Amino acid sequence: MRASSRTAFSKGGNIPGIRRATNTCRRKPRATSAPLLLSLMAFGNKHFAPEGAMVEVVNTTTGKPADIGVYDRATGLPIVAPEYRMVPGPAANARVKKRYAARKVEAGAA
């Protein structure tokens, strides 16, 4: 159907009109999304870039690449197995509880 026909039908009430946004705004990334993006970048550099990283995060003082990871803010320790593992949370349904009871899922394990 051509645009002119679609417009005619829309004005005639035969099909619902297509509403288009007149004020389209793009959201800027929040500062809180930066750690997640950095973690994803580090993961991709480690596992999917055998030729080397295209972009790195470096320490501005030493110039050495940062070792980006996920850390427990309460202790400051990196979240790695076997010290940490995933368990069903308080809102877990029966399926999730059964899945995690059947096997130990270590944090950081793929």
Side-chain angles (χ1 to χ4, degrees):
M1 178 181 288
R2 291 182 297 161
S4 60
S5 300
R6 192 170 47 236
T7 304
F9 281 129
S10 173
K11 288 182 180 176
N14 294 333
I15 62 172
I18 300 171
R19 293 187 64 191
R20 299 195 186 270
T22 57
N23 182 13
T24 58
C25 64
R26 305 232 180 223
R27 292 184 182 212
K28 293 180 182 178
R30 293 181 175 176
T32 56
S33 64
L36 172 64
L37 295 176
L38 292 175
S39 296
L40 289 171
M41 182 187 70
F43 180 84
N45 286 343
K46 181 177 181 180
H47 297 285
F48 299 111
E51 66 283 354
M54 292 183 75
V55 178
E56 290 183 317
V57 176
V58 296
N59 183 313
T60 56
T61 306
T62 64
K64 294 182 180 179
D67 182 18
I68 299 172
V70 178
Y71 294 86
D72 180 359
R73 287 193 283 179
T75 63
L77 298 173
I79 297 179
V80 294
E83 289 85 14
Y84 291 87
R85 68 184 183 102
M86 295 168 57
V87 297
N93 60 20
R95 180 179 172 200
V96 172
K97 289 177 182 178
K98 182 179 177 182
R99 178 178 177 187
Y100 282 88
R103 61 187 173 115
K104 288 186 179 181
V105 180
E106 297 176 345

